[in-house]
Amino acid sequence: VWSVFGVGHAIIAGDALENLAQRVLLDLGTPQAIRAAETLAEATARMIAGQAADLAFESSLDVTFEDCLAMEADKTGALLSCACSIGAILAGAPDRTVGSLAAFGLHLGLAYQAIDDLLGIWGRPHVTGKPVASDIRQRKKSLPVVAVLDSGTDGGRRLASLLSIGVLTDDLVAEATSLIEGAGGRDRALCEAELNIRLAEEALEQASVPDPVRARFADLAEFVTARDL
Amino acid sequence: VWSVFGVGHAIIAGDALENLAQRVLLDLGTPQAIRAAETLAEATARMIAGQAADLAFESSLDVTFEDCLAMEADKTGALLSCACSIGAILAGAPDRTVGSLAAFGLHLGLAYQAIDDLLGIWGRPHVTGKPVASDIRQRKKSLPVVAVLDSGTDGGRRLASLLSIGVLTDDLVAEATSLIEGAGGRDRALCEAELNIRLAEEALEQASVPDPVRARFADLAEFVTARDL
């Protein structure tokens, strides 16, 4: 949406969708619907905290791999966790089922975000709609970047000094990109994506849902993670 | 907030405050609190619609004075209407009291917005934090602008042609500003502000609230409308 209609309209469209979801739940007004509204509001609070951390990290070089994972669990994990479990809440499913679907969504979100972080550096502009290595230009502390920054190696120190330069020319961006790849940042993010896809699959196995429902969640996982790397 | 910390942090801070308000109401969980949560969500929907219209108007010259008033009733009126009446809802006040306070807030919001529109053109940059005639540079269809654009006069046609120019130089912005003032746009917006301050006062008279409460609402009206023009 932001790429086609601009950032202002995209933000407003997102606000409108979140607001519509809350109004649908409040209109229903059943105890389950109110619990779902609370869950959505709590998940939204976590997304907001994650997005605030993501923004703050842009102007910091002191971000660990764990900081980044915690930020992504809030920013994206909470969104998919809520999306995957709110239907079960609304249907009055047992807490265990809600919990398994929430865990499935959390790990799916972390996998999605790890892949998004890879695309933010190595994605092709005509697919992502963003410039080459967009996340490096924006000094985002995404997983591949912090994997190297936080490594305590010469590569990490070199990357920190590159990201401190006032204006990042295309050459400097290219140098940072190959430095991150050479120092294992890309592999570390790929590992994180694969780990979370596996954890999502395990959580889905645990969920007491009918097989056709499980199959549709599995399709969703496939759809979310099979992005054009 | 946006002027000190940047637009990204300001948007996130606004999201966090709205989210906190909803969570406080949902946590309370009483029937009145759920009704207050619904009212807040409906008001937010109107603010979103108003903001979307405001954005869309920037790229249009075909905006009437009534379009602008309707947009401002959504964008700002709904906010202050909700803010002034939600306490009465939460306290279980009669519908008539809620209605009077909602009307007070709506007119207060329209007055505030009319003054904000004046400041967007004639405000002093060190007070508003925005450049001189910021709203003209951004081609905002605020009240003083549409009062002239929508007048069917030569001044209106000249303003439309000025606002169609690709790059607005400082000279063109200054020309547009004095054209709007000369054609009565400033006076029309001032009139609208004064009318709505009066209507807000009348609505507050009608509200069955104890005198000290009425006095505090009157102070609020004073605070909101006594801005440095």
Side-chain angles (χ1 to χ4, degrees):
Chain A
V1 174
W2 64 258
S3 153
V4 176
F5 300 103
V7 169
H9 287 289
I11 290 174
I12 275 292
D15 286 343
L17 288 171
E18 193 273 341
N19 176 262
L20 180 60
Q22 279 294 9
R23 288 169 67 209
V24 165
L25 292 171
L26 291 170
D27 277 355
L28 271 177
T30 61
Q32 287 93 339
I34 300 301
R35 194 178 148 210
E38 287 168 357
T39 304
L40 178 56
E42 281 158 24
T44 305
R46 289 191 57 195
M47 287 179 244
I48 289 168
Q51 177 63 20
D54 196 17
L55 268 180
F57 289 177
E58 284 181 14
S59 52
S60 167
L61 288 166
D62 191 24
V63 180
T64 67
F65 199 75
E66 283 62 39
D67 291 338
C68 185
L69 285 177
M71 175 273 283
E72 298 193 343
D74 280 345
K75 187 178 72 163
T76 316
L79 171 63
L80 289 191
S81 181
C82 178
C84 291
S85 60
I86 200 167
I89 292 170
L90 202 52
D95 285 352
R96 259 196 62 191
T97 307
V98 171
S100 299
L101 292 173
F104 165 73
L106 168 66
H107 292 297
L108 192 55
L110 285 168
Y112 171 90
Q113 189 59 54
I115 295 168
D116 207 58
D117 285 358
L118 288 161
L119 290 172
I121 299 178
W122 294 282
R124 284 169 296 172
H126 73 278
V127 179
T128 62
K130 300 179 188 178
V132 174
S134 150
D135 280 0
I136 293 180
R137 289 173 206 276
Q138 223 182 314
R139 295 160 212 262
K140 280 222 172 276
K141 301 308 173 307
S142 63
L143 288 176
V145 173
V146 294
V148 177
L149 266 188
D150 185 31
S151 63
T153 62
D154 282 350
R157 282 180 285 277
R158 173 72 190 136
L159 182 59
S161 71
L162 274 176
L163 293 177
S164 306
I165 295 172
V167 177
L168 287 174
T169 62
D170 286 352
D171 281 354
L172 290 171
V173 169
E175 187 185 342
T177 303
S178 58
L179 177 59
I180 293 166
E181 182 152 9
R186 181 175 185 154
D187 286 345
R188 181 89 189 267
L190 261 175
C191 252
E192 200 59 41
E194 283 160 8
L195 169 68
N196 279 290
I197 290 172
R198 194 157 52 70
L199 291 172
E201 287 166 352
E202 285 176 19
L204 187 56
E205 282 302 311
Q206 300 296 316
S208 320
V209 291
D211 281 342
V213 172
R214 197 188 318 280
R216 294 190 65 181
F217 275 114
D219 286 350
L220 182 70
E222 175 81 20
F223 173 73
V224 162
T225 55
R227 296 169 76 197
D228 202 358
L229 272 185
Chain B
V1 175
W2 65 258
S3 153
V4 176
F5 301 104
V7 170
H9 286 288
I11 290 173
I12 275 292
D15 286 344
L17 289 171
E18 191 274 343
N19 177 262
L20 180 60
Q22 279 294 8
R23 288 168 68 208
V24 165
L25 293 172
L26 291 170
D27 277 356
L28 270 177
T30 61
Q32 286 92 338
I34 301 301
R35 195 179 147 211
E38 287 168 355
T39 303
L40 178 57
E42 279 157 26
T44 306
R46 289 191 57 195
M47 286 178 243
I48 290 168
Q51 177 64 18
D54 196 17
L55 269 179
F57 288 175
E58 285 181 13
S59 51
S60 167
L61 288 167
D62 192 23
V63 180
T64 67
F65 199 74
E66 282 63 40
D67 291 339
C68 185
L69 284 177
M71 175 274 281
E72 298 193 341
D74 280 346
K75 189 177 73 165
T76 314
L79 171 64
L80 288 192
S81 181
C82 178
C84 291
S85 59
I86 200 167
I89 293 171
L90 200 53
D95 285 352
R96 261 196 60 191
T97 307
V98 171
S100 298
L101 292 173
F104 166 72
L106 168 65
H107 291 297
L108 191 55
L110 285 168
Y112 171 89
Q113 189 58 55
I115 295 167
D116 206 57
D117 286 358
L118 288 161
L119 289 171
I121 299 179
W122 293 281
R124 283 170 296 172
H126 73 278
V127 178
T128 63
K130 301 179 186 177
V132 173
S134 151
D135 281 359
I136 292 179
R137 289 171 207 276
Q138 223 183 313
R139 294 159 214 265
K140 280 224 174 275
K141 301 308 173 306
S142 63
L143 288 177
V145 174
V146 294
V148 178
L149 265 188
D150 185 29
S151 62
T153 61
D154 282 350
R157 281 180 287 277
R158 173 73 189 135
L159 181 59
S161 71
L162 274 175
L163 294 175
S164 307
I165 294 171
V167 177
L168 286 174
T169 61
D170 286 352
D171 281 353
L172 290 170
V173 168
E175 187 184 343
T177 302
S178 57
L179 177 56
I180 293 165
E181 183 151 8
R186 182 174 183 154
D187 286 344
R188 180 88 190 267
L190 262 176
C191 252
E192 200 58 41
E194 283 159 9
L195 168 68
N196 279 289
I197 290 172
R198 193 156 51 73
L199 292 171
E201 287 166 353
E202 286 176 19
L204 186 57
E205 283 301 312
Q206 299 297 316
S208 322
V209 292
D211 281 342
V213 172
R214 197 188 319 278
R216 294 190 66 181
F217 276 114
D219 285 350
L220 182 70
E222 175 81 19
F223 174 74
V224 162
T225 55
R227 297 169 76 199
D228 201 359
L229 273 185

